[in-house]
Amino acid sequence: MEYHNLIIKFFAGEISDSELVHLKSWLEKDPENRRIFDAENELWQEAGSQSNIGAYDNDSAWINISGGAGLGADNPKPVVIMGKAKFRILVAAATIFALVTFGSVTLWLTSEKSLRQLSGGITRITTNEGEKSRISLPDSSQILLNAGSTFQYDRKFNLSDRMVKLMGEAYFDISTNPQKPFVVELDKMTVTATGTRFNVFSFSNENRVETTLEEGIIHVSVKGGEPVEVKAGQQVVYFVKSGEVLIRDVNPDTYTSWKENMLRFHDTPFEEVLRRIGRKYNVTFEVSNRELFDLTYTATFIDESIEDVMQMLKTVSPITYRIYYRTSASDKQYRKPKIVVGKRKSNI
Amino acid sequence: MKDQLAMRIKLGDEQAFELFFRKYNVRLCAFANKFLANSEEAQEVVQDMFVKLWDNREEIDPENSMKSYVFKIVQNLSINRLRRKKVESRYNEIYKMVYIDNHEFSAHESLLARELEAQIVNSIKKLPPECRKIFDLSRSEGLKYREIADTLHISIKTVEAQMSKALRSLRTELTDYITLIMISIISNTLWF
């Protein structure tokens, strides 16, 4: 028992030189003594790991690991998986967009529920913000329609070809049929495939139109131009404002993660972050300070509540916010929650 | 039995990997710290291990326990690091003596690999108030015996005695618990 005490003093940094000599010779004497030392050490570490809060920080360690392992991104910048408050903010060159764009998505949303219309042989499926819809087409292709999107096809579908239209975001898993090409018409882009899997992002209020190919080959033409062949793992981006077209290698998972209820941002400008949060959680945003639009974010949220998401944004960037939950307006209609975002005074 | 989490990590599921990380990071750090007695170095070792684990995820064998595997790797990495330590303090001399070239300590049997967090927390809570206070000041706040004695207006001898008592009590509590697990495992085996 005397040696237990000596060992504890050793761990606590209280052992004297003469005691240390004792401890050493005791340890040398018998392997059993070393085993006792080990057991005490384990107990000491165990008690320390439990009581010594903050000695080992999971969050900052995870940032290092996910960065070191190149997780989640198609470039070596660390992408942070959100569990608690942790984030990476990149301040990029300012690109200020008008706030007006937030409202425009509602223009082609008509009812409370997703809606399938049959008029003039046209089938249209619309999802509201905060919801997704799975569509099985007559040719057994599968479409997953993201929030705030509209998908349509007509009765000629699958006769000589397979033409569909999309506004918004959808993931396509197209059944193979080289005789009948599958054509997705977007506002600014046309995607042609015979059988493959790809993701399309084309909102009227976003500056980018993106098509990301997970498997197979597709042909993409921008604004009626020459079709370009795109291979698996590549992405075509069309920047609406500048008219630039970019084909790049990406990790498709980053762009299809919404299927698994993840929200992924990669050097994403603040206003796009808000629009995407708005679509996913069915909330509207009001931003009181334009300086905030200079912020960009790289982060992944997995199944977090809107409250948690906002809290994290606040933790990592100089913002304040207030959530106004569903309020009934004078006409007895319920409005969607509104989040007012402002700039925090102190710097982070 | 196949380890589902291991399978998912093998297939590149980042969420599964993060889950695994969050479950074991602190325990692995504490485990590495027992060889290195330096929490920063311990964290480095564990982080390196996780990065390598992810890079080599295809090598994961879901038939074997991934937990035992990572504890084993952290043990090897820590001992290698301990061996390479240039600065000979009177302290790491002891660690080297106990852990280098000693094959009697298996990572698998480590208390830290047994997931007894709840029991530890409980056992610490059960310590007599005076004893717990002293233990916390030393273990959590990192105070010296002298400082604890001054803060609480007691003698160093009392601090020493209480520290010894705290560890003894934890040891007894946990030994009982470990024995209990063993008994239940054995009785299960006998019944079926």
Side-chain angles (χ1 to χ4, degrees):
Chain A
M1 196 45 72
E2 180 206 342
Y3 284 99
H4 280 299
N5 201 15
L6 218 52
I7 296 167
I8 294 160
K9 282 173 94 173
F10 172 80
F11 291 135
E14 295 287 334
I15 199 162
S16 70
D17 284 346
S18 62
E19 284 169 328
L20 197 71
V21 174
H22 269 106
L23 180 63
K24 226 173 127 179
S25 60
W26 178 78
L27 286 169
E28 265 163 355
K29 207 160 49 187
D30 189 347
E32 183 53 31
N33 293 349
R34 294 194 284 272
R35 217 167 279 138
I36 291 169
F37 177 93
D38 179 59
E40 289 293 316
N41 194 1
E42 288 246 324
L43 204 55
W44 183 257
Q45 302 302 337
E46 175 75 77
S49 76
Q50 294 309 316
S51 63
N52 196 356
I53 301 154
Y56 309 116
D57 178 6
N58 276 343
D59 293 342
S60 60
W62 177 250
I63 290 175
N64 291 338
I65 290 162
S66 58
L71 276 178
D74 31 61
N75 73 26
K77 282 179 192 162
V79 163
V80 182
I81 306 260
M82 309 292 304
K84 287 192 206 131
K86 62 213 143 62
F87 233 104
R88 221 177 95 82
I89 315 171
L90 299 162
V91 178
T95 327
I96 299 171
F97 291 103
L99 196 63
V100 185
T101 52
F102 287 139
S104 66
V105 75
T106 50
L107 284 177
W108 33 270
L109 290 179
T110 45
S111 82
E112 278 299 303
K113 290 194 168 162
S114 42
L115 144 123
R116 195 178 270 258
Q117 283 178 345
L118 283 163
S119 59
I122 292 173
T123 306
R124 181 181 299 142
I125 298 109
T126 297
T127 48
N128 273 313
E129 309 203 343
E131 63 180 34
K132 282 186 255 184
S133 185
R134 191 172 289 284
I135 304 160
S136 286
L137 292 176
D139 67 335
S140 79
S141 293
Q142 302 289 318
I143 319 289
L144 189 63
L145 195 61
N146 204 355
S149 304
T150 295
F151 178 84
Q152 75 171 54
Y153 58 98
D154 61 24
R155 66 160 77 107
K156 293 201 293 292
F157 180 85
N158 210 23
L159 290 179
S160 61
D161 56 17
R162 298 178 281 177
M163 297 275 282
V164 300
K165 281 186 180 170
L166 171 72
M167 283 178 282
E169 181 164 35
Y171 176 81
F172 292 82
D173 189 347
I174 302 304
S175 68
T176 307
N177 187 345
Q179 271 71 51
K180 295 177 187 170
F182 194 104
V183 183
V184 186
E185 274 187 27
L186 309 167
D187 193 20
K188 305 274 186 329
M189 203 185 261
T190 306
V191 181
T192 309
T194 49
T196 174
R197 291 206 297 268
F198 57 95
N199 192 75
V200 174
F201 178 91
S202 170
F203 285 95
S204 55
N205 61 347
E206 298 284 358
N207 182 35
R208 291 172 298 114
V209 179
E210 271 173 14
T211 297
T212 312
L213 184 57
E214 198 171 86
E215 196 186 277
I217 288 179
I218 52 174
H219 289 86
V220 173
S221 87
V222 176
K223 292 184 95 178
E226 275 294 300
V228 184
E229 185 180 286
V230 178
K231 297 190 181 68
Q234 286 189 326
Q235 178 183 61
V236 185
V237 194
Y238 171 68
F239 295 93
V240 179
K241 288 205 172 83
S242 64
E244 276 179 295
V245 181
L246 185 75
I247 298 182
R248 57 180 178 185
D249 293 326
V250 296
N251 176 0
D253 291 351
T254 311
Y255 299 90
T256 59
S257 57
W258 60 271
K259 293 190 295 163
E260 275 81 47
N261 280 327
M262 285 193 245
L263 255 187
R264 261 195 164 136
F265 300 116
H266 195 81
D267 283 356
T268 310
F270 190 58
E271 81 277 9
E272 185 185 326
V273 168
L274 294 187
R275 281 198 296 272
R276 283 171 57 189
I277 292 172
R279 281 197 289 269
K280 182 169 160 69
Y281 293 98
N282 192 23
V283 295
T284 55
F285 283 98
E286 200 177 294
V287 179
S288 66
N289 192 321
R290 277 163 178 267
E291 279 169 57
L292 295 174
F293 288 144
D294 294 357
L295 299 166
T296 66
Y297 294 84
T298 293
T300 302
F301 297 92
I302 302 165
D303 260 338
E304 251 97 8
S305 66
I306 182 67
E307 289 80 3
D308 287 346
V309 170
M310 292 312 297
Q311 196 51 48
M312 287 168 210
L313 291 178
K314 187 182 168 182
T315 308
V316 300
S317 51
I319 65 160
T320 57
Y321 68 92
R322 186 153 175 199
I323 303 180
Y324 296 89
Y325 290 95
R326 281 177 184 274
T327 49
S328 81
S330 51
D331 57 357
K332 297 259 160 53
Q333 294 270 12
Y334 275 91
R335 294 214 180 102
K336 59 169 103 176
K338 184 170 82 175
I339 302 176
V340 178
V341 183
K343 189 167 186 286
R344 190 151 32 117
K345 290 227 169 60
S346 61
N347 281 326
I348 48 160
Chain B
M1 198 187 73
K2 274 211 173 133
D3 183 342
Q4 285 298 323
L5 203 59
M7 197 67 194
R8 284 172 59 194
I9 294 170
K10 189 183 168 79
L11 294 172
D13 182 336
E14 290 170 19
Q15 241 180 307
F17 181 60
E18 188 179 354
L19 264 169
F20 184 77
F21 161 81
R22 287 189 181 275
K23 187 156 182 210
Y24 292 113
N25 179 46
V26 170
R27 311 190 68 74
L28 285 166
C29 286
F31 183 65
N33 197 37
K34 101 173 186 179
F35 303 102
L36 298 166
N38 178 325
S39 65
E40 269 144 44
E41 282 186 66
Q43 288 182 78
E44 270 172 44
V45 164
V46 173
Q47 286 185 19
D48 284 354
M49 185 281 296
F50 274 113
V51 170
K52 282 188 190 116
L53 180 69
W54 179 255
D55 287 346
N56 300 308
R57 59 188 178 275
E58 280 163 17
E59 314 293 321
I60 293 170
D61 178 6
E63 300 290 339
N64 289 321
S65 159
M66 197 155 81
K67 187 180 83 183
S68 318
Y69 177 69
V70 293
F71 271 91
K72 183 76 196 158
I73 293 181
V74 166
Q75 174 163 337
N76 292 344
L77 291 174
S78 304
I79 291 175
N80 283 344
R81 203 173 184 139
L82 176 62
R83 187 175 284 130
R84 287 200 314 269
K85 272 196 182 178
K86 294 253 158 50
V87 186
E88 287 291 342
S89 75
R90 56 195 201 120
Y91 271 83
N92 66 42
E93 198 185 352
I94 297 280
Y95 289 103
K96 284 187 169 183
M97 187 164 111
V98 175
Y99 291 112
I100 292 182
D101 304 321
N102 243 325
H103 303 288
E104 47 206 86
F105 306 115
S106 98
H108 188 65
E109 281 160 20
S110 166
L111 183 68
L112 291 152
R114 283 183 217 226
E115 298 171 58
L116 297 172
E117 296 99 319
Q119 284 70 43
I120 300 272
V121 173
N122 266 332
S123 309
I124 293 175
K125 277 190 192 148
K126 275 197 216 162
L127 295 175
E130 170 98 10
C131 183
R132 187 181 161 189
K133 194 168 198 170
I134 292 164
F135 183 73
D136 276 349
L137 286 173
S138 166
R139 199 67 195 94
S140 308
E141 313 275 320
L143 292 192
K144 293 273 165 211
Y145 284 7
R146 170 87 263 161
E147 296 166 316
I148 300 172
D150 288 350
T151 314
L152 301 176
H153 307 292
I154 50 178
S155 72
I156 292 189
K157 278 278 158 222
T158 311
V159 176
E160 211 178 297
Q162 292 288 0
M163 284 297 287
S164 179
K165 189 177 160 190
L167 266 291
R168 194 165 58 235
S169 155
L170 291 184
R171 194 187 315 125
T172 320
E173 283 257 342
L174 290 167
T175 316
D176 284 355
Y177 193 81
I178 292 163
T179 319
L180 210 71
I181 298 174
M182 297 309 278
I183 292 169
S184 73
I185 291 168
I186 292 164
S187 62
N188 277 343
T189 323
L190 291 177
W191 275 98
F192 295 106

